[in-house]
């Protein structure tokens, strides 16, 4: 499996040009990208990156990938990130690693977003992977009830779980909580995205729609390009 992630990461690296301002994703696949990028940087490639999490920032620093912030560099050329699911029209579910808010801000600030993944991430419709929803800790219960309500109006039901790590609530880099929503198949991700965005306690959700331009999907001895080449 790691080999496939490396293959996808290498395909994305081919799209990186000297001088680019990069968004750098989070997760095990994005970390393979950081590793191959670092090799190229050591060989003389000049890029600057905005990391989408503290975890990615730490790896970039360790491997010598130069970093900046969105405040210093508010417009990026290219973001490269993994995904938990890749569905129709390159709609994504992200946030399995809890980085969805920064990932979405960085992707939205980028001219182009490339997703890298192994073929197990491709789905016919989104929702097999529980949808991560980042919420403010204040009013958690009320926010969960509001999520249940809007989901039900869209015909979606399923357990909502506050994510935990080591027996304690998982806290994101932004200081929020994550609610994982096991709705199953989401027939209308767009409607769900709009409904979730209208709930005040929801900070952001893991539906990435109209953000990814291209996916490099590794499997069966090849790396397939999905979307714009
Ligand atoms: O918050 C985490 C991110 O959205 C990741 O891109 C996503 O969870 C995929 O991670 P991995 O490459 O480890 O499957």
């Amino acid at each position: 499996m790691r080999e496939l992630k490396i293959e996808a990461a290498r395909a994305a690296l081919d799209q990186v040009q000297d001088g680019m301002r990069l968004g750098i994703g989070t997760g095990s696949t994005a970390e393979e990208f950081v590793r191959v990028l670092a090799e190229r940087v050591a060989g003389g490639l000049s890029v600057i990156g905005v990391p989408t999490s503290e975890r990615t920032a730490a790896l970039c620093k360790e491997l010598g990938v130069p970093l900046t912030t969105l405040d210093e560099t508010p417009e990026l050329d290219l973001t490269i990130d993994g995904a938990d699911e890749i569905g129709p029209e390159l709609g994504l579910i992200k946030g399995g690693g809890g980085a969805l808010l920064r990932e979405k801000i960085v992707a939205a600030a980028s001219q182009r977003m490339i997703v890298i993944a192994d073929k197990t991430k491709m789905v016919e419709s989104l929702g097999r992977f529980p949808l991560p929803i980042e919420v403010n800790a204040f009013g958690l219960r009320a926010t969960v009830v509001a999520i249940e309500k809007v989901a039900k109006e869209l015909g979606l039901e399923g357990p909502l779980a506050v994510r935990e790590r080591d027996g304690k609530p998982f806290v994101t880099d932004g200081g929020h909580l994550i609610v994982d929503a096991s709705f199953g198949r989401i027939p209308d991700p767009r409607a769900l995205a709009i409904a979730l965005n209208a709930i005040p306690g929801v900070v952001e959700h893991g539906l990435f729609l109209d953000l990814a331009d291209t996916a490099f999907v590794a499997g069966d001895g090849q790396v397939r390009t999905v979307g714009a080449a």
Side-chain angles (χ1 to χ4, degrees), residues 5 26-30 81-84 94-100 103 121:
K5 294 176 187 185
T26 295
S28 55
T29 318
D81 203 346
D84 299 301
K94 286 182 55 55
L100 67 99
E103 288 177 333
K121 303 291 183 66

Side-chain angles (χ1 to χ4, degrees), residues 85 93 123 125-131 181-186 189 207:
E85 280 189 351
I93 286 185
V123 294
S125 60
L126 296 174
R128 185 183 61 197
F129 190 90
L131 177 66
S182 299
F183 292 138
R185 184 174 174 270
I186 302 169
L207 287 167

